[in-house]
Protein backbone atom coordinates (compact mmCIF):
# COMPACT_ATOMS: atom_id res chain seq x y z
CA UNK A 1 0.00 0.00 0.00
CA UNK A 2 1.17 3.50 -0.80
CA UNK A 3 0.28 6.72 0.93
CA UNK A 4 -1.38 9.63 -0.82
CA UNK A 5 0.32 12.84 0.25
CA UNK A 6 -1.15 16.33 0.17
CA UNK A 7 1.62 17.37 -2.22
CA UNK A 8 2.90 15.36 -5.22
CA UNK A 9 5.76 12.90 -4.65
CA UNK A 10 8.17 14.82 -6.88
CA UNK A 11 7.54 18.08 -5.03
CA UNK A 12 7.81 16.26 -1.69
CA UNK A 13 11.26 14.99 -2.68
CA UNK A 14 12.45 18.43 -3.77
CA UNK A 15 11.09 20.14 -0.66
CA UNK A 16 12.58 17.48 1.61
CA UNK A 17 16.00 17.91 -0.02
CA UNK A 18 15.75 21.71 0.17
CA UNK A 19 14.55 21.79 3.78
CA UNK A 20 16.88 19.15 5.20
CA UNK A 21 20.03 19.62 3.10
CA UNK A 22 20.21 22.70 0.89
CA UNK A 23 18.84 25.55 3.01
CA UNK A 24 20.76 24.66 6.21
CA UNK A 25 23.96 24.17 4.19
CA UNK A 26 23.56 27.50 2.42
CA UNK A 27 22.80 29.24 5.74
CA UNK A 28 25.94 27.75 7.32
CA UNK A 29 28.02 28.80 4.31
CA UNK A 30 26.71 32.36 4.32
CA UNK A 31 27.15 32.61 8.09
CA UNK A 32 30.75 31.43 7.88
CA UNK A 33 31.94 33.14 4.71
CA UNK A 34 29.82 36.29 4.67
CA UNK A 35 31.58 38.18 7.46
CA UNK A 36 35.00 37.31 6.06
CA UNK A 37 34.05 38.91 2.76
CA UNK A 38 32.23 41.83 4.32
CA UNK A 39 28.80 40.88 2.99
CA UNK A 40 26.06 43.14 4.34
CA UNK A 41 23.13 41.83 6.41
CA UNK A 42 24.65 38.37 6.96
CA UNK A 43 22.65 37.73 10.13
CA UNK A 44 19.40 38.62 8.40
CA UNK A 45 20.21 36.38 5.43
CA UNK A 46 21.07 33.43 7.68
CA UNK A 47 17.89 33.97 9.72
CA UNK A 48 15.83 34.05 6.52
CA UNK A 49 17.41 30.87 5.14
CA UNK A 50 16.94 29.00 8.41
CA UNK A 51 13.34 30.22 8.69
CA UNK A 52 12.65 29.01 5.15
CA UNK A 53 14.09 25.62 6.10
CA UNK A 54 11.77 25.41 9.10
CA UNK A 55 8.80 26.40 6.93
CA UNK A 56 9.62 23.73 4.35
CA UNK A 57 10.04 21.15 7.13
CA UNK A 58 6.64 22.08 8.57
CA UNK A 59 5.00 21.79 5.14
CA UNK A 60 6.42 18.35 4.42
CA UNK A 61 5.69 17.26 7.98
CA UNK A 62 2.07 18.33 7.64
CA UNK A 63 1.87 16.52 4.32
CA UNK A 64 3.24 13.32 5.86
CA UNK A 65 0.95 13.61 8.90
CA UNK A 66 -2.15 14.02 6.75
CA UNK A 67 -1.23 11.35 4.21
CA UNK A 68 -3.94 8.78 3.61
CA UNK A 69 -3.37 5.13 3.00
CA UNK A 70 -4.08 4.32 -0.62
CA UNK A 71 -4.96 1.02 -2.17
CA UNK A 72 -3.74 -0.47 -5.42
CA UNK A 73 -5.71 2.12 -7.37
CA UNK A 74 -4.31 5.00 -5.29
CA UNK A 75 -7.62 5.75 -3.62
CA UNK A 76 -7.93 6.23 0.14
CA UNK A 77 -9.67 3.60 2.22
Amino acid sequence: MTKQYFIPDSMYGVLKWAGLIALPAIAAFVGAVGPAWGWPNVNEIVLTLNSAGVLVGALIGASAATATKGGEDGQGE
Side-chain angles (χ1 to χ4, degrees), residues 7-74:
I7 55 178
D9 287 343
S10 59
M11 183 183 288
Y12 180 85
V14 169
L15 288 174
K16 187 174 179 182
W17 174 82
L20 297 177
I21 305 287
L23 289 171
I26 294 168
F29 177 80
V30 169
V33 175
W37 286 93
W39 294 349
N41 304 319
V42 170
N43 289 336
E44 291 81 0
I45 294 168
V46 170
L47 177 64
T48 301
L49 290 167
N50 284 325
S51 297
V54 170
L55 175 62
V56 169
L59 292 174
I60 63 175
S63 177
T66 60
T68 58
K69 291 182 183 177
E72 294 277 329
D73 59 357

